[in-house]
Amino acid sequence: MTITRISSNERLSGAVIFKDLVFLSGQVPGDGQDVATQTREVLARIDALLVEAGSDKDHLLNATIYLKDIGSGFAPMNEVWSAWLTPGMAPTRTTLQAELARPSVLVEISVIAVRK
């Protein structure tokens, strides 16, 4: 049984591959910006990790999206999310409000994908 870890440090791995499954840690943006800009940055990080793991956004199985304020953040995040997805390729998804790692983080997204 082989488990491959990508971008690991003492606390976590950016991605873990087991067989044909790819698990990404929650991806967060840099500081500042609004929720739409942060969402674009997070999705770019997800794209890069998925490519490194041998997958892409069209192979997503599940996404969990954490918003600092679901009331003000859901619509702008959802607009960016929907534009990023390939039509007909949406994964299952859960979106919830949560206290995030830093006060400036407005969105965090973790995904599970299958390798191509």
Side-chain angles (χ1 to χ4, degrees), residues 3-24:
I3 298 173
T4 304
R5 300 174 199 289
I6 298 172
S7 299
S8 295
N9 63 33
E10 64 280 353
R11 293 185 317 266
L12 59 89
S13 295
V16 173
I17 302 165
F18 177 70
K19 297 188 179 184
D20 285 334
L21 293 176
V22 179
F23 302 86
L24 266 60

Side-chain angles (χ1 to χ4, degrees), residues 32-71:
Q33 310 122 357
D34 59 22
V35 71
T37 303
Q38 286 193 9
T39 301
R40 280 189 284 279
E41 184 178 337
V42 167
L43 294 176
R45 291 175 188 225
I46 288 171
D47 280 333
L49 275 170
L50 287 173
V51 167
E52 191 172 350
S55 189
D56 61 29
K57 67 184 177 185
D58 291 347
H59 289 81
L60 291 179
L61 301 174
N62 181 266
T64 304
I65 301 173
Y66 305 91
L67 293 168
K68 181 175 183 171
D69 181 352
I70 202 162

